[in-house]
Amino acid sequence: MADLLSDDEIDAQLPDGWDREGDEIVRTYEFDDYLEGVSFAGDVGEVAEEQFHHPEIRIRYEEVEVRLTSHEEGGITDADIEMAELSDEEYGG
């Protein structure tokens, strides 16, 4: 089990483009079309499965929202920060 991060640790480690909403970190990625977003969501899903840390993913017309939290720990952990960074890599990659 991972330890919860303090507010200061979250602020210091939160990747650019991500926001904190309560016990979750959230980012909305923008795409030129729907299928590009669907493909990205699939890529993030594959990485999440490898990490065994599964985000909530919402697909909209030209946006994909990714939400991360560590349910077992009741908040934000290093695993969420790592998955956020990996999601950003998929977006840029």
Side-chain angles (χ1 to χ4, degrees), residues 19-38:
D19 295 308
R20 181 179 183 181
E21 292 183 9
D23 289 340
E24 298 180 314
I25 58 173
V26 182
R27 179 167 180 187
T28 300
Y29 297 90
E30 296 183 6
F31 297 92
D32 292 332
D33 62 53
Y34 178 74
L35 290 179
E36 190 178 342
V38 169

Side-chain angles (χ1 to χ4, degrees), residues 3-69:
D3 292 329
L4 289 175
L5 297 175
S6 70
D7 290 341
D8 289 340
E9 290 172 321
I10 294 167
D11 290 343
Q13 296 179 39
L14 194 65
D16 290 341
W18 288 82
D19 295 308
R20 181 179 183 181
E21 292 183 9
D23 289 340
E24 298 180 314
I25 58 173
V26 182
R27 179 167 180 187
T28 300
Y29 297 90
E30 296 183 6
F31 297 92
D32 292 332
D33 62 53
Y34 178 74
L35 290 179
E36 190 178 342
V38 169
S39 177
F40 168 75
D43 292 344
V44 169
E46 287 182 28
V47 171
E49 188 66 15
E50 290 171 8
Q51 295 294 310
F52 200 70
H53 193 69
H54 304 96
E56 179 178 320
I57 301 174
R58 295 180 184 163
I59 302 170
R60 295 187 283 271
Y61 180 62
E62 293 180 340
E63 297 178 334
V64 175
E65 180 185 77
V66 178
R67 292 182 165 268
L68 291 157
T69 191

Side-chain angles (χ1 to χ4, degrees), residues 72-89:
E72 294 84 14
E73 286 76 15
I76 301 165
T77 68
D78 284 328
D80 300 302
I81 300 297
E82 181 179 359
M83 189 63 214
E85 292 168 346
L86 292 169
S87 296
D88 288 349
E89 288 176 17

